Amino acid sequence: MTEQKRKHLRLPIESTICIKLLTSRPGQDESARMLMCKSLNVSRGGLQVMLEEELTVGTILQIGVELPGEKDRLCLAAAVRWCLPSKNEQNPWMAGFQILNASDSDIERWVTSIEAMES
């Protein structure tokens, strides 16, 4: 996506991201597992991350974000908009998330925090 089509300013913020993945592996008792990664940039509408495994485009996931200046992790709903291979051996995938306006999430705190970083 070109910069001209972006709705929100991208900020080069590295933060810890926790992604809740549902497991579909037969024989496992766990219904979900967590994938930890780092963001490359954030905006009011989304974020880009580097991660160890490929994500399915279109999937809606619960993510936790530890933003600078926030003492508690923000819990958000996000849709995987794209996922591409990267050249990083440790984190061979890059993904873009669109933050969704979910009523049971910390979307208001997310927007407020990002707006404060923009100024």
Side-chain angles (χ1 to χ4, degrees), residues 58-72:
T59 304
I60 296 174
L61 300 168
Q62 291 180 336
I63 63 172
V65 181
E66 296 175 6
L67 282 178
E70 287 287 331
K71 70 177 189 175
D72 296 321

Side-chain angles (χ1 to χ4, degrees), residues 19 21-22 25 33-37 49-56 83-84 90-95 97:
I19 304 170
L21 298 173
L22 296 179
R25 296 180 186 146
R33 61 187 175 91
M34 298 300 200
L35 176 64
M36 301 299 287
C37 60
V49 301
M50 296 285 292
L51 62 165
E52 296 175 356
E53 61 187 82
E54 184 177 12
L55 298 176
T56 303
C83 189
L84 300 169
Q90 188 175 10
N91 293 299
W93 294 96
M94 292 174 48
F97 286 97

Side-chain angles (χ1 to χ4, degrees), residues 20-34 61:
K20 185 177 181 180
L21 298 173
L22 296 179
T23 185
S24 59
R25 296 180 186 146
Q28 285 190 341
D29 291 335
E30 298 177 23
S31 61
R33 61 187 175 91
M34 298 300 200
L61 300 168

Side-chain angles (χ1 to χ4, degrees), residues 93-108:
W93 294 96
M94 292 174 48
F97 286 97
Q98 177 184 4
I99 303 300
L100 303 175
N101 189 5
S103 61
D104 59 344
S105 73
D106 293 323
I107 185 69
E108 290 179 13

Side-chain angles (χ1 to χ4, degrees), residues 73-118:
R73 179 183 289 167
L74 282 76
C75 296
L76 302 165
V80 180
R81 301 298 293 169
W82 56 268
C83 189
L84 300 169
S86 79
K87 295 180 181 177
N88 183 308
E89 289 181 21
Q90 188 175 10
N91 293 299
W93 294 96
M94 292 174 48
F97 286 97
Q98 177 184 4
I99 303 300
L100 303 175
N101 189 5
S103 61
D104 59 344
S105 73
D106 293 323
I107 185 69
E108 290 179 13
R109 280 183 47 218
W110 170 264
V111 171
T112 302
S113 295
I114 300 300
E115 285 175 344
M117 289 182 216
E118 290 174 345

